[in-house]
Amino acid sequence: MITTKDVEHIGWLARLKMEEEQLEGYADQLNSVLDYFGQLDEVDTREVEPTYHVLEMNNVFRDDKITDCLTRDEAIGNAPKTQDGYFKAPRII
Amino acid sequence: MREESLKLRPYLDEVGVMIGLEIHVQLNKLNTKIFCGCPLDYHDDGPNTHTCPVCLGLPGSLPVINRKAVEYSIKVGLALGCSIEEHTQFYRKNYYYPDLPKGFQITQYDYPIASKGYINIEGEDGEVRIRINRAHMEEDPGRLLHEGGSIERSKYTLIDYNRSGVALLEIVTEPDIRSPKEARRFLDKLRNILEYLDVVDTTLEGSMRVDANISLSGGSRSEVKNISSHKGAERALLFEIVRQKNLLRRGGKVVQETRHFDEARGVTVSLRTKEEAHDYRYFPEADLVPLKVADLAPGIAKTLPELPDARRQRFISQYGVTDDHAKSLTSEKQVADFYEQVATEVDPKLAAVWIADVLKGELNYRNLGIDAFAGANMVQLVKLLAWDKITEQSGVEVIRTILDEGGTPDDVVAAKGLLKAGGDLVTAAVEEAITENPQAVEDYRSGKQEAVNFLMGQVMKKTKGRADAKEVREMIIQRV
Amino acid sequence: MITVSQTLENVRDSSAKEVVSQCIERIEASKFNTFITVAKESAPEAAKKSKNIKGSLAGVPIAIKDNISTKGIRTTCASGILGGYVPPYDAHVIERLKEAGAVIVGKVNMDEFAMGTSTETSHYGPTLNPWDIKRVPGGSSGGSAATVAAGEVPLALGSDTGGSVRCPASFCGVVGLKPTYGVISRYGLISYANSLEQIGPIASNVADMTHLFNVVAGHDPRDSTSVPGEKDYTNALVDDVEGLTIGVPKEYFGEGIDQAVEKSVRDSVHRLEDLGASWQEVEMPHTKYALAAYYVIAMSEASSNLARFDGMRYGLRLEKDHDWHTTYSEIRSQGFGEEVKRRILLGTYALSAGYMDKYYLKALKVRTLIKQDFERALKSTDVLIAPTMPTPAFKLGEKISDPLTLYMADVNTVPVNLSGVPSVSLPCGFSNGLPIGLQIMGKHFDEETIIRTAYTFEQNTEFHTKAPEVA
């Protein structure tokens, strides 16, 4: 069972700001879905390897060859805040 | 087998320092970044001029790994005595920071490309083996500028993604290092090996960045980040030892935390907040397929150059130099190359003395690299010395003059009249000195050995240092 | 609905520019909220240029799902968080379409970040089903299917992570393909769940779908999971199923299936039998766990894939900044819709310390069992046939309030994504005037056989000739 405290923690891990009054609603929704996921416990997977890739491909490389860069205007053109060719982010702390 | 042969060393003192290092090495001799074709020659250009959808993390872009980055990593792994794993793959390390354009870093986790190696260094108590736990590949984040001062005081942050996506090899040691000085020696040795491998230009800013874990007497460890030089590593670790010691002395407890090294102030600062507790949620990166590259290792092993330790042994056996000289000559690749160039033309032992004992010191004093002195000049100088044309004292003067003013040994010797004085001149000077200083002669005769030194000084003054000291000494003793 | 051959004829008779301008008129008059962005400036220009292109789709208008990167055309993923993002690069499929002369007329509506089965989670409002505007068009590629069904464009691209091409194709009575994982480059497809998804073609008939597929499929060195080689899939447009063995998995006719849907699908199998195929029932015992495994994997991947939307390089940024973590959290809280947030939270949880093995790793193991179900079933058969969706299109608002009920609708489509096999959905009947979709699944890289089966069925039935009244 996920508690409102758990929701707060997951919300922080996921960096989704939540208001106090939303926590209970989220807890209910998450619990009902996680309940459903619980049915996976029924499956015996002791001898089963996980599938990360459906295709068994290995060793796909590219050569160490230079390709075109974006221009700086293209690179920063979509940024809401910039300064002197840099992206502008908030202070860290 | 290697594990067994390793003797764990006793603590050097009651403090029981244990240091482990994580070194982020930029494979900056590649043409392009690890997952895209952006070039690495951004150091002289403005911000955000070397980016593309991949290294900017634009929605929809996908990574494809640079084959050469994998080959370089195998090369380093082999040089560090690591085994190259049969199966290696990439993971996502999920955390959020403005220098990380995708909100996760592509790195390795359970299946690093290389593991279980070592580097031997000159430790506090003789040669010691520092074990390498693993070396794994990952992408470099962008570079942040904390505007308005330090990270703690800045008002906002500027981001340049030119560095984003540069191939990094993270080398992780076991906590086998026992002192800040050993840490520095380890880093110097590693840099030396990397230079021999020709996979990294260590003169570029940020090419080797260090995080250090340190604990005392088995207590909690702190992790110091943001160390950008080997000297910085030594300072940061010294600071940490003192800080932790003081904390323990006052009855406090070292908390496990991440600290930031403030290079300018020479201190480490806690950045830990409640929110800092990390849960990286590592999981496999499905946009990249696994690598099965162990079979590349034998071929790459064949291309490995002679490494510093092997070269040192060869210098001893091939050139007959002392172990100390061999060590000094091989500690930087360029110096070793320089030495071998000189040693093929002149007496290798004499060359070793003059390069290791004299030239390196003069270069260090002036903060110069070996490229400041031409190999041909060293050949000429050693010849002058070997043929007894100039004295050792003049030899030193020649080196200093060339470094400060330029020229060749022949030029300097001619200009300064350093050619060793002829026999007659020296004999005359000895005669003069004896006649002019009867008291000294008397003193010597009555058993005062130092009196010879005084007489020698007088002779040297008269010959302006061009006489051979040993010869002069013998002549004086014979005469009186 | 409009076919490609008709369109090419119109281009020949008038001009690409004329064809495209009429197309844009239809789009602007649409009652179904199919488009998010209409390329009113670039499309006529591209139409003009297409005169000089010899490609198979020269001058043919196409609609692109809004999670595919289009250089110079706003790309939103139907989310508030992408703000006014205008990509500086084209997805691989867009480059291929341009080389073939196709004209991108705009970006079509979808569930936000492709998370949904109804196109109701779009930041730009729901798309309506052209067969009944009170009903959903399916999702998440609802705009792609609806615009083709409404006769606005002949072709569209969607993307299919857990059924997102096939579901709306089924609800809107059009043809949609989810290719084998790796056949169409994902370069430029904005990831929701990157180990599961593929871009897929949508058209009004099997032949048009195949022509579009032929243009966009093929190797791309910028996608590490793109398989090498090129094929001409139009060779599979053959009216012949003689000797074909069909497997009918009984688990796909489970609880909650609509009677009319079951009957139409079984009738379709019989129709193919009449045409020379044989069929047998097959068992795929792990099917019932597919939904849970799918959602665990998709949400886990999504929680990571959507971390990049931080407002620094593109997208929504709030006026006032605080410290980094607070700023980032606020942008995401405001920019993402409810369903997206729910999935990010669940995915974050499934990957978090202590729960990784219980959820994520377990789901990947169940994925292996589901893949094995397909391998076993397709050993003795050539294709598998089942309903695409257990019901016809449901009503707007009917399921959106209860996430779990909505997830259940994907029960027959998600196993295909977990195993990576190709699957096509095409119309096979009607229930109360609403289309029913037939799902034909095949072996890895055997798109040819499912295309041949679908083409044969279509050539010998009339369902694809029906179109909704849109006037």
Side-chain angles (χ1 to χ4, degrees):
Chain A
M1 269 299 269
I2 290 199
T3 63
T4 52
K5 215 167 145 49
D6 295 331
V7 174
E8 225 179 331
H9 173 68
I10 303 163
W12 170 254
L13 266 185
R15 297 299 188 278
L16 288 170
K17 192 175 168 235
M18 279 182 247
E19 303 304 330
E20 192 68 38
E21 61 270 21
Q22 294 177 293
L23 296 179
E24 206 148 323
Y26 273 121
D28 288 348
Q29 288 174 4
L30 301 197
N31 275 318
S32 85
V33 177
L34 289 172
D35 248 15
Y36 181 75
F37 289 171
Q39 64 165 263
L40 292 176
D41 294 342
E42 294 168 19
V43 190
D44 181 357
T45 53
R46 277 171 301 181
E47 305 291 316
V48 183
E49 288 295 315
T51 295
Y52 294 108
H53 288 88
V54 281
L55 306 177
E56 274 147 32
M57 293 172 83
N58 294 308
N59 295 356
V60 176
F61 297 111
R62 59 176 191 83
D63 292 333
D64 187 26
K65 280 208 191 102
I66 293 171
T67 52
D68 288 342
C69 291
L70 294 172
T71 64
R72 175 148 76 198
D73 286 348
E74 286 173 321
I76 67 171
N78 274 293
K81 298 184 185 178
T82 60
Q83 182 179 311
D84 307 328
Y86 290 92
F87 295 95
K88 194 172 176 183
R91 65 178 196 275
I92 299 298
I93 307 172
Chain B
M1 234 167 57
R2 198 177 299 131
E3 293 281 335
E4 285 163 31
S5 66
L6 180 95
K7 273 191 305 202
L8 274 181
R9 292 153 5 103
Y11 293 150
L12 288 167
D13 60 17
E14 83 288 356
V15 186
V17 175
M18 290 177 81
I19 298 169
L21 300 176
E22 294 168 11
I23 306 100
H24 297 83
V25 176
Q26 272 190 341
L27 301 177
N28 58 16
K29 289 238 171 152
L30 295 168
N31 294 322
T32 65
K33 296 183 178 180
I34 184 168
F35 297 127
C36 64
C38 287
L40 301 189
D41 59 344
Y42 56 82
H43 287 85
D44 298 327
D45 288 321
N48 299 305
T49 49
H50 289 58
T51 68
C52 74
V54 178
C55 57
L56 272 184
L58 293 189
S61 64
L62 295 170
V64 183
I65 193 163
N66 183 337
R67 181 197 309 270
K68 201 130 201 194
V70 176
E71 290 170 358
Y72 277 14
S73 301
I74 294 174
K75 203 169 169 184
V76 176
L78 292 171
L80 300 182
C82 294
S83 43
I84 304 306
E85 302 299 328
E86 281 296 328
H87 172 106
T88 182
Q89 71 180 61
F90 287 90
Y91 280 73
R92 291 183 180 183
K93 179 181 183 180
N94 294 285
Y95 69 98
Y96 320 112
Y97 215 60
D99 61 7
L100 206 59
K102 299 186 293 296
F104 57 83
Q105 182 188 31
I106 302 179
T107 180
Q108 297 195 291
Y109 184 58
D110 275 348
Y111 302 92
I113 188 153
S115 57
K116 302 275 177 283
Y118 63 90
I119 290 182
N120 291 332
I121 61 160
E122 199 58 38
E124 299 283 358
D125 48 359
E127 182 160 83
V128 290
R129 175 166 287 192
I130 307 301
R131 290 170 301 165
I132 309 258
N133 174 287
R134 60 194 269 152
H136 70 249
M137 307 177 69
E138 62 185 27
E139 54 182 341
D140 211 346
R143 203 169 57 90
L144 298 183
L145 262 75
H146 305 289
E147 279 293 292
S150 68
I151 185 168
E152 301 150 281
R153 275 164 295 174
S154 75
K155 291 193 184 63
Y156 53 90
T157 312
L158 298 179
I159 324 171
D160 172 12
Y161 291 108
N162 283 346
R163 196 181 75 182
S164 167
V166 174
L168 291 181
L169 188 67
E170 181 175 335
I171 297 166
V172 183
T173 78
E174 297 290 352
D176 289 349
I177 297 167
R178 293 290 172 267
S179 73
K181 193 185 276 172
E182 280 191 10
R184 185 169 175 181
R185 285 191 185 143
F186 175 88
L187 293 169
D188 287 344
K189 182 76 175 272
L190 174 62
R191 173 168 57 201
N192 190 21
I193 293 170
L194 295 170
E195 274 167 4
Y196 271 75
L197 296 174
D198 200 29
V199 295
V200 49
D201 176 353
T202 58
T203 64
L204 288 176
E205 191 205 335
S207 56
M208 272 178 85
R209 305 196 299 275
V210 181
D211 295 346
N213 288 297
I214 175 162
S215 66
L216 306 187
S217 302
S220 287
R221 64 192 166 89
S222 58
E223 185 182 14
V224 185
K225 289 193 177 273
N226 192 42
I227 305 172
S228 56
S229 72
H230 300 186
K231 207 164 134 193
E234 194 176 354
R235 283 171 65 213
L237 287 165
L238 275 172
F239 180 88
E240 265 305 291
I241 290 176
V242 173
R243 186 187 71 85
Q244 293 192 15
K245 260 188 196 167
N246 287 342
L247 204 60
L248 293 169
R249 191 175 301 137
R250 289 196 302 266
K253 242 183 100 180
V254 178
V255 287
Q256 187 167 336
E257 63 173 348
T258 300
R259 300 177 70 86
H260 186 91
F261 181 53
D262 187 333
E263 188 118 35
R265 291 193 287 154
V267 299
T268 68
V269 197
S270 176
L271 282 186
R272 194 188 167 85
T273 52
K274 161 189 147 293
E275 298 83 1
E276 207 77 11
H278 283 305
D279 182 349
Y280 289 123
R281 289 161 282 137
Y282 283 98
F283 76 109
E285 168 56 284
D287 287 337
L288 291 165
V289 300
L291 302 177
K292 311 250 184 208
V293 289
D295 54 339
L296 293 182
I300 293 174
K302 282 192 199 122
T303 71
L304 280 186
E306 182 185 36
L307 294 169
D309 285 349
R311 201 172 193 186
R312 177 173 143 197
Q313 289 309 319
R314 181 168 62 79
F315 278 16
I316 295 170
S317 59
Q318 183 177 343
Y319 300 119
V321 302
T322 65
D323 187 37
D324 278 349
H325 280 155
K327 205 184 290 174
S328 164
L329 291 170
T330 52
S331 70
E332 281 173 66
K333 181 174 184 293
Q334 287 98 323
V335 174
D337 292 345
F338 179 88
Y339 170 71
E340 290 218 81
Q341 183 199 336
V342 175
T344 52
E345 298 193 41
V346 296
D347 174 15
K349 280 193 227 173
L350 194 57
V353 172
W354 281 86
I355 295 170
D357 294 348
V358 184
L359 179 62
K360 274 186 76 175
E362 297 295 331
L363 290 169
N364 274 347
Y365 177 72
R366 290 167 179 76
N367 221 349
L368 292 170
I370 192 76
D371 50 346
F373 201 89
N377 283 344
M378 186 46 81
V379 169
Q380 213 176 79
L381 176 64
V382 175
K383 277 180 180 166
L384 287 170
L385 288 157
W387 296 337
D388 218 13
K389 291 270 174 93
I390 58 170
T391 63
E392 292 188 357
Q393 202 181 337
S394 300
V396 174
E397 194 175 342
V398 168
I399 289 178
R400 289 181 179 158
T401 309
I402 290 175
L403 288 175
D404 294 336
E405 295 160 27
T408 67
D410 286 344
D411 295 343
V412 176
V413 166
K416 301 209 165 188
L418 296 178
L419 268 192
K420 207 163 169 179
D424 293 350
L425 203 80
V426 179
T427 313
V430 170
E431 280 308 321
E432 268 181 56
I434 288 173
T435 326
E436 286 166 16
N437 300 285
Q439 185 61 44
V441 174
E442 199 56 38
D443 286 352
Y444 178 74
R445 284 184 181 142
S446 60
K448 282 192 186 159
Q449 293 289 320
E450 313 90 86
V452 175
N453 296 342
F454 173 77
L455 291 170
M456 274 177 69
Q458 297 302 307
V459 174
M460 290 315 232
K461 209 186 268 173
K462 287 175 194 297
T463 57
K464 295 191 176 111
R466 287 175 293 156
D468 187 277
K470 226 163 92 188
E471 241 167 61
V472 170
R473 189 184 176 89
E474 271 165 23
M475 284 170 76
I476 293 172
I477 291 170
Q478 219 167 35
R479 184 67 187 70
V480 300
Chain C
M1 296 187 215
I2 322 168
T3 64
V4 168
S5 52
Q6 234 169 54
T7 310
L8 287 170
E9 224 167 89
N10 293 347
V11 169
R12 259 196 311 278
D13 293 349
S14 57
S15 72
K17 210 167 165 237
E18 184 56 36
V19 166
V20 166
S21 99
Q22 281 170 9
C23 176
I24 288 177
E25 268 171 42
R26 286 194 299 271
I27 292 165
E28 291 192 311
S30 173
K31 294 180 292 188
F32 311 111
N33 193 29
T34 44
F35 278 68
I36 293 175
T37 305
V38 185
K40 271 161 76 171
E41 279 171 27
S42 63
E45 252 172 65
K48 227 172 19 185
K49 277 194 212 143
S50 72
K51 267 198 305 205
N52 306 318
I53 299 175
K54 289 274 174 291
S56 60
L57 296 176
V60 177
I62 182 165
I64 306 295
K65 189 175 181 180
D66 209 17
N67 60 351
I68 296 173
S69 187
T70 44
K71 186 173 180 172
I73 304 175
R74 182 175 71 146
T75 299
T76 71
C77 281
S79 177
I81 206 157
L82 266 163
Y85 174 58
V86 179
Y89 81 103
D90 273 332
H92 180 74
V93 291
I94 301 299
E95 289 176 353
R96 284 191 171 239
L97 285 170
K98 286 179 174 174
E99 277 162 32
V103 177
I104 289 141
V105 289
K107 307 299 290 287
V108 276
N109 205 5
M110 55 187 277
D111 280 296
E112 185 180 359
F113 281 104
M115 296 178 184
T117 308
S118 62
T119 314
E120 290 169 285
T121 69
S122 169
H123 179 71
Y124 299 89
T127 291
L128 313 180
N129 192 320
W131 295 88
D132 176 355
I133 57 164
K134 290 196 189 69
R135 290 178 187 268
V136 302
S140 66
S141 313
S144 307
T147 190
V148 171
E152 294 164 0
V153 295
L155 296 173
L157 283 184
S159 69
D160 191 315
T161 311
S164 283
V165 161
R166 291 160 289 151
C167 160
S170 172
F171 283 5
C172 292
V174 296
V175 182
L177 171 74
K178 199 294 286 186
T180 309
Y181 189 81
V183 165
I184 297 181
S185 168
R186 290 182 294 114
Y187 191 77
L189 169 65
I190 301 177
S191 293
Y192 151 32
N194 48 315
S195 84
L196 298 164
E197 61 210 6
Q198 275 285 290
I199 290 171
I202 293 175
S204 66
N205 61 80
V206 175
D208 286 0
M209 182 281 291
T210 305
H211 282 295
L212 175 54
F213 178 50
N214 220 31
V215 168
V216 293
H219 183 243
D220 175 13
R222 290 168 304 183
D223 174 358
S224 304
T225 63
S226 164
V227 294
E230 302 270 336
K231 283 185 185 176
D232 186 351
Y233 295 98
T234 59
N235 292 332
L237 295 172
V238 177
D239 180 359
D240 178 17
V241 289
E242 191 66 49
L244 185 89
T245 309
I246 299 166
V248 180
K250 63 173 198 261
E251 292 81 3
Y252 283 68
F253 297 82
E255 203 184 324
I257 191 170
D258 182 279
Q259 295 293 303
V261 170
E262 173 155 9
K263 184 171 186 311
S264 290
V265 171
R266 292 204 185 276
D267 286 352
S268 303
V269 173
H270 294 139
R271 187 79 190 92
L272 286 165
E273 191 180 18
D274 293 342
L275 294 166
S278 62
W279 70 275
Q280 63 192 63
E281 195 163 76
V282 292
E283 284 184 17
M284 302 181 77
H286 298 95
T287 305
K288 69 172 181 163
Y289 301 109
L291 208 55
Y294 165 80
Y295 273 101
V296 170
I297 295 168
M299 289 170 176
S300 299
E301 291 181 2
S303 73
S304 173
N305 286 328
L306 271 59
R308 70 186 64 197
F309 300 100
D310 60 7
M312 300 300 124
R313 295 160 301 284
Y314 44 81
L316 179 71
R317 180 78 170 262
L318 306 180
E319 192 66 35
K320 188 164 165 42
D321 282 342
H322 307 278
D323 65 284
W324 157 254
H325 287 292
T326 308
T327 307
Y328 181 59
S329 305
E330 284 187 353
I331 289 169
R332 290 159 61 80
S333 304
Q334 293 208 18
F336 289 136
E338 278 310 305
E339 181 59 26
V340 172
K341 284 192 227 178
R342 194 151 44 227
R343 292 193 193 195
I344 291 175
L345 288 172
L346 283 160
T348 302
Y349 183 70
L351 288 176
S352 68
Y355 299 95
M356 178 98 174
D357 287 4
K358 177 174 167 60
Y359 293 109
Y360 183 67
L361 199 64
K362 182 81 184 184
L364 290 178
K365 289 179 177 175
V366 172
R367 181 178 192 176
T368 304
L369 296 172
I370 287 159
K371 203 177 157 221
Q372 287 168 357
D373 274 1
F374 273 93
E375 284 160 9
R376 217 176 299 114
L378 283 163
K379 205 167 259 172
S380 54
T381 62
D382 300 307
V383 297
L384 301 172
I385 290 186
T388 308
M389 301 299 291
T391 66
F394 47 85
K395 290 205 172 101
L396 283 159
E398 185 183 327
K399 299 193 178 187
I400 194 71
S401 55
D402 180 7
L404 205 51
T405 314
L406 193 56
Y407 299 167
M408 301 289 187
D410 301 337
V411 62
N412 282 2
T413 50
V414 296
V416 159
N417 301 79
L418 288 169
S419 62
V421 300
S423 171
V424 65
S425 177
L426 72 162
C428 72
F430 290 87
S431 169
N432 297 323
L434 295 171
I436 293 168
L438 181 72
Q439 179 171 219
I440 308 174
M441 300 165 271
K443 297 170 186 167
H444 280 149
F445 306 113
D446 191 15
E447 275 79 359
E448 286 95 330
T449 304
I450 61 172
I451 288 171
R452 178 160 59 91
T453 309
Y455 184 72
T456 304
F457 179 80
E458 189 184 78
Q459 291 300 301
N460 294 281
T461 54
E462 303 282 299
F463 306 110
H464 66 289
T465 60
K466 305 263 191 311
E469 303 276 336
V470 295

